[in-house]
Amino acid sequence: MATLQDLGVSAFINILGAFVFLLLFAVLRIQPINDRVYFPKLYIAGKRAADHRGARRAINLNLCTYFKFLSWVPGALRMTQTELIHHAGLDSAVYLRIYTLGLKIFLPVMVVALLVLIPVNVSGGTLLNLRKDVMFSDIDKLSISNVSPGSNRFFIHLLMAYVFTFWTCFMLYKEYSNVAFMRLHFLASQKRSADQFTVIVRNIPRVSSHSTSETVDEFFRRNHPDHYLGQQAVYNANRYAKLVKQKERLQNWLDYYQLKFERHPEKRPTGRTGCFGFYGRQVDQIDYHRARISELDKRIASERQRVLNDPKAIMPVSFVTFDSRWGAVVCAQTQQSKNPTQWLTNWAPEPRDVYWQNLAIPFFSLSIRKFLISIAVFALVFFYMIPIAFVQSLANLEGIERVAPFLRPVIEVKVVKSFLQGFLPGLALKLFLYILPTVLMIMSKVEGYVSLSSLERRTASKYYYFMLVNVFLGSIIAGTAFEQLDSFFHDPPSQIPRTIGVAVPMKATFFMTYIMVDGWAGIANEILRVKPLVIYHLKNMFIVKTERDRERAMDPRSISLGENLPSLQLYFLLGLVYAVVTPILLPFIIVFFAFAYLVYRHQIINVYNQEYESAAAFWPQVHSRIIASLLISHVTLFGLMSTMKAAYSTPLLIFLPLLTIWFHKYCKSRFEPAFRKYPLEEAMEKDRMEHASEPSLNLKTYLANAYLHPIFQMFEQEDQKEEATIEVRIDKSEHQQQQQHVRSSHSQYEEETSAQTHCHHEERTSSQYQYQYQHQYEYQHEETHMRSEQSPPHFVYHPGVEH
């Protein structure tokens, strides 16, 4: 097991690694060539313009800036919370509050534990009497294992458990109240957005002789006659999107080969057609990729026509809009049909939060998918027990030596032993967990969630259970077995529970090494951004030709809540479990929370570009996980003290989990509705204020394209490219005449659109897609009606409501 010397080696390696990462970051961030790597958020927000002079001067020659290598620290702390919310959104601000919550909880707990519990544990002396039966180090003398069985000292641990629980609940209550207020204030002060007026309707029943759009329109005109405004149909365009992505990849390769040919015109690029160019026939890469793109264009056009003409391409899902927030609230939070499995309504995610691929999944298959994924997650959790046990074998070499003494000459080398026990276990566990979030995200997508925010929350839940079972429980169980292998084989069965009870606190040394690897060096690596740095410069070297290409080469990423939230919750779990058991672990956690808060604050301000805004919808999950950590700490302490013959003090622990569960239920009923529902009073107030300030607001125009399927946006972009290509290729002598014709056509189109506002069709010629607005009354132009029937309905409006 890891000794004080081993922990010292681990601390030295991780602190040195963190210092090197921070030093490299301080140097690389001030180089003009890396500006888009370390400040992409500012470019996206328009707060930082491209410096072409700086781009030509790749290296910063101002020596004074190198002496200010810590200038990023005050810059990260300077922005207030209000400015941070305005700059990065409420999700980012609340995410940072989790780190400050950790500091608020564990700083006082650490001070009290170090001043009260450490002297009590050190003076126990019971490990000296068990030296022959149980292996321990000097650090274990600071834990509860060093208290004599049946000692009255356990009443002090019992009292501290109550104090720490009450303090944690008090801070959780205050934080839940603050976050709920911040959420409601954020929603109330938020500018007008499409999701405030929109609900998503799923499992729409199919009616014979009616299209899905007609069925939805008829249902909501009948049941919401005063506030129903219109609906946007959803199309299954997944196959079309795959073809477009495939074309984009081929186009990127074509651009690369053309650029290569421009640099070396004496030699055309050639290669083989097989995988990675290892086999296949030899071809001219430019001609080959042009031919493949041309062939793919035909497939894309065919698939496009299929989507437009096939009624089955319209899914039983729709985005329904209302003329007021109040109407949307009533629809989203009520049951629409006598059949509870049909016409299921919920708040629509904001347009950038929609995960369009999953909208095409039939509703009846969702429960089957979730069941199968649950089985897969269960299997994955237990499959990972194997590498976790292997990691624990590295952390507990003494047990291995007793079983396999022939390895002793290698293991007993002081440097090798310190490295294996002090650094390698935490690093190995970190590597095993590296690909796990990606796998769990794929599983969540298979389950069928329709928003990116819900996908990340579900991924976070799976990852949390995995961390709980494997990293925490698995490490303790497997580690205890390896540590006390000899005792398990030779002691009578009646002594095994006592041996485990004494050995569980000793796993604190392993978690200390894990915290240093993941929470110290890992966080420093996060700010260095090695992977985005390398990828950006590779793209800049081979692909980037224009300023637009350079913007696309940036990779700001997001906070990755699906990965970071469970890691955070693991630290809360470790801190709460070991606060009474082994308090010496708390300073490691405090360092993590303080350092991570500083790093992530800098990243949120300068780097991360959150893909969506959920208004802190993940907070109830965070609160529940911390409550679960409290309960686990109570159960662990109860089991530990029961093995130490603390017959008088142990029963008093029963009230702690009961009080914790009551507190959780109270917070759930008091604050969680703010995260699940929207107050009618607030919706009506916002509607009244908006009508007073903008009486002539046309919501039809505002909401028309809000939930436009990406396939139609692709159509628009393709048409713009085609028009731009045609305009570039026209002869100079015809340029003026052609421009005049385009302006005339555009003007005529605007006049027709304006004259037909009360109608709900917008036409699209061969170079301009028709945005159709269907009606329940006859159109004024029969020819327009005949042409529009050839394309699917784009947006259906209820004609009885004027806005």
Side-chain angles (χ1 to χ4, degrees):
M1 83 181 47
T3 64
L4 188 61
Q5 180 183 357
D6 300 333
L7 283 179
V9 171
S10 177
F12 173 77
I13 294 175
N14 285 287
I15 292 175
L16 179 62
F19 178 77
V20 170
F21 289 152
L22 292 177
L23 189 61
L24 286 174
F25 165 72
V27 174
L28 293 175
R29 67 183 288 270
I30 61 176
Q31 308 305 321
I33 196 174
N34 299 326
D35 206 47
R36 289 183 181 270
V37 178
Y38 294 110
F39 302 97
K41 178 67 175 290
L42 302 184
Y43 280 94
I44 295 174
K47 298 182 178 181
R48 203 179 187 98
D51 185 0
H52 298 288
R53 291 176 301 175
R56 288 193 297 267
R57 189 185 69 250
I59 306 300
N60 184 3
L61 301 178
N62 186 359
L63 296 180
C64 296
T65 57
Y66 289 90
F67 294 101
K68 301 177 181 178
F69 64 94
L70 291 178
S71 61
W72 64 274
V73 176
L77 299 174
R78 190 176 297 117
M79 188 176 288
T80 64
Q81 180 174 271
T82 303
E83 294 172 340
L84 187 65
I85 294 175
H86 180 73
H87 176 72
L90 185 63
D91 282 343
S92 300
V94 172
Y95 174 75
L96 289 175
R97 289 184 69 94
I98 303 176
Y99 292 96
T100 59
L101 175 64
L103 292 173
K104 291 175 183 177
I105 290 176
F106 291 116
L107 267 175
V109 168
M110 180 188 69
V111 173
V112 174
L114 294 181
L115 293 179
V116 176
L117 292 179
I118 292 296
V120 172
N121 295 337
V122 170
S123 59
T126 188
L127 289 178
L128 297 176
N129 301 325
L130 298 173
R131 182 180 295 273
K132 296 181 180 180
D133 299 322
V134 178
M135 294 173 293
F136 64 93
S137 66
D138 292 336
I139 295 176
D140 298 320
K141 296 178 182 178
L142 308 177
S143 71
I144 195 174
S145 300
N146 201 34
V147 179
S148 302
S151 173
N152 291 330
R153 297 169 184 263
F154 287 117
F155 280 104
I156 300 178
H157 296 84
L158 176 66
L159 177 63
M160 290 297 100
Y162 272 91
V163 171
F164 295 163
T165 299
F166 287 154
W167 173 251
T168 302
C169 290
F170 173 70
M171 295 308 303
L172 279 176
Y173 180 85
K174 288 187 62 178
E175 195 66 20
Y176 212 149
S177 177
N178 291 335
V179 174
F181 173 79
M182 290 170 62
R183 173 181 168 87
L184 293 176
H185 178 73
F186 177 80
L187 294 175
S189 59
Q190 202 173 21
K191 296 181 180 179
R192 181 175 59 251
S193 59
D195 54 288
Q196 297 171 359
F197 302 88
T198 309
V199 299
I200 184 172
V201 185
R202 307 196 70 180
N203 210 25
I204 300 170
R206 296 192 181 276
V207 180
S208 58
S209 71
H210 280 72
S211 67
T212 301
S213 299
E214 291 171 343
T215 303
V216 173
D217 190 61
E218 181 180 345
F219 180 86
F220 282 94
R221 281 194 297 110
R222 182 174 65 249
N223 294 287
H224 297 268
D226 298 328
H227 297 281
Y228 168 62
L229 184 62
Q231 58 96 8
Q232 171 72 67
V234 175
Y235 300 89
N236 185 356
N238 292 346
R239 191 159 62 179
Y240 179 88
K242 290 180 181 178
L243 292 175
V244 171
K245 289 183 179 179
Q246 186 178 350
K247 179 183 175 181
E248 289 178 353
R249 287 194 295 268
L250 290 174
Q251 188 64 49
N252 288 336
W253 278 110
L254 177 60
D255 293 342
Y256 165 74
Y257 288 120
Q258 286 178 333
L259 182 61
K260 185 177 181 181
F261 180 62
E262 290 175 4
R263 292 174 177 174
H264 304 283
E266 70 280 357
K267 182 181 179 181
R268 290 182 67 86
T270 60
R272 298 188 180 275
T273 59
C275 181
F276 299 108
F278 292 140
Y279 62 92
R281 59 190 178 89
Q282 192 82 6
V283 295
D284 183 294
Q285 294 288 10
I286 295 178
D287 294 338
Y288 173 73
H289 281 83
R290 282 177 178 170
R292 288 194 61 186
I293 290 174
S294 178
E295 180 183 352
L296 201 58
D297 282 335
K298 297 177 182 179
R299 294 175 58 190
I300 289 174
S302 175
E303 179 64 20
R304 170 176 172 175
Q305 290 300 319
R306 188 196 68 80
V307 173
L308 294 177
N309 299 325
D310 187 3
K312 295 182 180 179
I314 302 178
M315 305 306 300
V317 182
S318 183
F319 291 100
V320 177
T321 58
F322 295 83
D323 65 350
S324 64
R325 296 171 182 84
W326 189 91
V329 168
V330 171
C331 181
Q333 299 173 179
T334 55
Q335 181 175 318
Q336 303 301 310
S337 173
K338 291 180 290 185
N339 186 346
T341 63
Q342 293 181 346
W343 298 104
L344 304 179
T345 57
N346 205 341
W347 281 108
E350 60 174 344
R352 60 177 179 165
D353 190 19
V354 178
Y355 188 69
W356 294 94
Q357 290 89 327
N358 281 359
L359 288 175
I361 298 175
F363 183 81
F364 71 89
S365 69
L366 293 179
S367 57
I368 300 175
R369 286 168 172 260
K370 292 178 182 178
F371 174 73
L372 295 177
I373 291 299
S374 299
I375 296 176
V377 171
F378 180 83
L380 181 66
V381 167
F382 283 91
F383 168 78
Y384 258 75
M385 278 289 188
I386 299 173
I388 294 297
F390 172 73
V391 169
Q392 289 304 319
S393 70
L394 297 177
N396 304 281
L397 301 179
E398 288 85 354
I400 300 298
E401 286 182 1
R402 294 191 181 188
V403 178
F406 60 88
L407 295 176
R408 184 171 299 172
V410 178
I411 294 175
E412 287 300 322
V413 177
K414 184 174 295 187
V415 177
V416 174
K417 187 174 183 179
S418 297
F419 177 78
L420 290 178
Q421 291 190 325
F423 178 73
L424 188 60
L427 178 62
L429 183 58
K430 181 68 176 175
L431 293 177
F432 279 126
L433 298 177
Y434 184 74
I435 64 170
L436 187 63
T438 302
V439 174
L440 296 178
M441 174 59 79
I442 294 173
M443 289 183 171
S444 298
K445 290 179 179 179
V446 173
E447 282 184 293
Y449 295 97
V450 298
S451 66
L452 297 174
S453 56
S454 58
L455 283 173
E456 288 209 323
R457 290 197 296 272
R458 292 304 303 169
T459 301
S461 296
K462 295 180 180 68
Y463 199 17
Y464 171 78
Y465 295 131
F466 179 90
M467 301 280 275
L468 175 63
V469 173
N470 280 286
V471 179
F472 181 70
L473 297 178
S475 296
I476 288 178
I477 296 172
T480 301
F482 277 111
E483 283 180 5
Q484 312 305 332
L485 212 53
D486 185 69
S487 298
F488 287 165
F489 288 154
H490 298 92
D491 287 352
S494 59
Q495 294 296 317
I496 292 179
R498 179 171 175 267
T499 304
I500 294 177
V502 175
V504 165
M506 299 179 185
K507 291 310 303 171
T509 55
F510 166 75
F511 289 119
M512 290 176 192
T513 63
Y514 177 77
I515 292 172
M516 286 187 286
V517 172
D518 180 71
W520 296 6
I523 294 299
N525 181 58
E526 177 68 26
I527 200 172
L528 182 58
R529 308 194 75 219
V530 177
K531 182 179 176 181
L533 178 68
V534 173
I535 292 176
Y536 172 77
H537 286 299
L538 288 176
K539 289 181 177 180
N540 204 24
M541 186 182 303
F542 297 108
I543 298 176
V544 171
K545 294 184 293 184
T546 65
E547 191 65 26
R548 185 178 180 182
D549 294 335
R550 187 169 287 107
E551 291 177 0
R552 290 181 176 179
M554 291 190 307
D555 182 21
R557 296 178 54 199
S558 61
I559 300 176
S560 299
L561 296 176
E563 179 180 357
N564 289 333
L565 284 181
S567 299
L568 258 175
Q569 291 152 6
L570 176 66
Y571 287 102
F572 278 97
L573 174 63
L574 295 177
L576 292 172
V577 168
Y578 282 97
V580 176
V581 175
T582 311
I584 196 62
L585 181 137
L586 292 176
F588 294 84
I589 291 181
I590 293 296
V591 173
F592 160 75
F593 278 116
F595 186 38
Y597 172 75
L598 183 64
V599 167
Y600 278 107
R601 210 173 200 278
H602 174 273
Q603 300 296 83
I604 285 173
I605 293 173
N606 299 300
V607 179
Y608 297 149
N609 185 42
Q610 196 68 3
E611 297 177 293
Y612 59 85
E613 177 58 60
S614 69
F618 58 85
W619 180 258
Q621 189 182 73
V622 174
H623 176 86
S624 299
R625 300 290 182 260
I626 299 177
I627 291 294
S629 300
L630 268 178
L631 293 174
I632 292 172
S633 70
H634 299 154
V635 173
T636 303
L637 186 60
F638 184 87
L640 196 59
M641 294 179 67
S642 64
T643 63
M644 292 185 164
K645 301 178 182 180
Y648 296 103
S649 55
T650 302
L652 297 178
L653 282 171
I654 297 177
F655 298 103
L656 265 184
L658 298 178
L659 291 173
T660 304
I661 293 173
W662 172 84
F663 168 77
H664 175 59
K665 289 187 174 181
Y666 174 77
C667 289
K668 189 179 181 68
S669 60
R670 172 70 177 83
F671 299 114
E672 192 167 331
F675 295 84
R676 299 288 179 259
K677 300 178 181 179
Y678 191 77
L680 283 172
E681 179 184 17
E682 186 68 35
M684 180 63 75
E685 181 64 24
K686 290 201 72 173
D687 287 335
R688 187 180 295 112
M689 292 176 59
E690 188 171 76
H691 288 320
S693 59
E694 300 180 72
S696 59
L697 175 64
N698 189 339
L699 278 177
K700 289 182 179 180
T701 303
Y702 177 74
L703 297 173
N705 299 331
Y707 285 93
L708 181 66
H709 194 285
I711 186 174
F712 299 114
Q713 297 178 3
M714 294 174 189
F715 290 168
E716 290 289 327
Q717 294 172 0
E718 287 181 359
D719 295 331
Q720 291 173 3
K721 290 179 181 178
E722 291 174 3
E723 291 174 359
T725 303
I726 293 173
E727 185 174 346
V728 167
R729 290 181 178 178
I730 59 176
D731 189 75
K732 289 184 179 180
S733 61
E734 300 176 355
H735 180 70
Q736 186 175 1
Q737 180 181 358
Q738 180 71 16
Q739 280 195 332
Q740 184 177 358
H741 174 70
V742 171
R743 286 195 298 267
S744 175
S745 300
H746 181 69
S747 176
Q748 182 181 358
Y749 173 77
E750 287 184 343
E751 291 175 1
E752 291 177 359
T753 304
S754 176
Q756 299 177 11
T757 303
H758 61 285
C759 294
H760 305 291
H761 283 267
E762 289 182 11
E763 299 182 31
R764 181 182 184 272
T765 61
S766 59
S767 65
Q768 205 169 16
Y769 182 72
Q770 295 183 14
Y771 292 129
Q772 301 177 28
Y773 301 103
Q774 292 185 342
H775 304 279
Q776 304 302 317
Y777 54 89
E778 295 183 355
Y779 296 98
Q780 295 181 353
H781 301 285
E782 185 65 24
E783 184 180 356
T784 303
H785 177 64
M786 294 291 293
R787 287 199 301 264
S788 64
E789 287 180 341
Q790 299 174 2
S791 300
H794 184 205
F795 203 96
V796 179
Y797 278 132
H798 174 29
V801 181
E802 294 296 333
H803 286 273

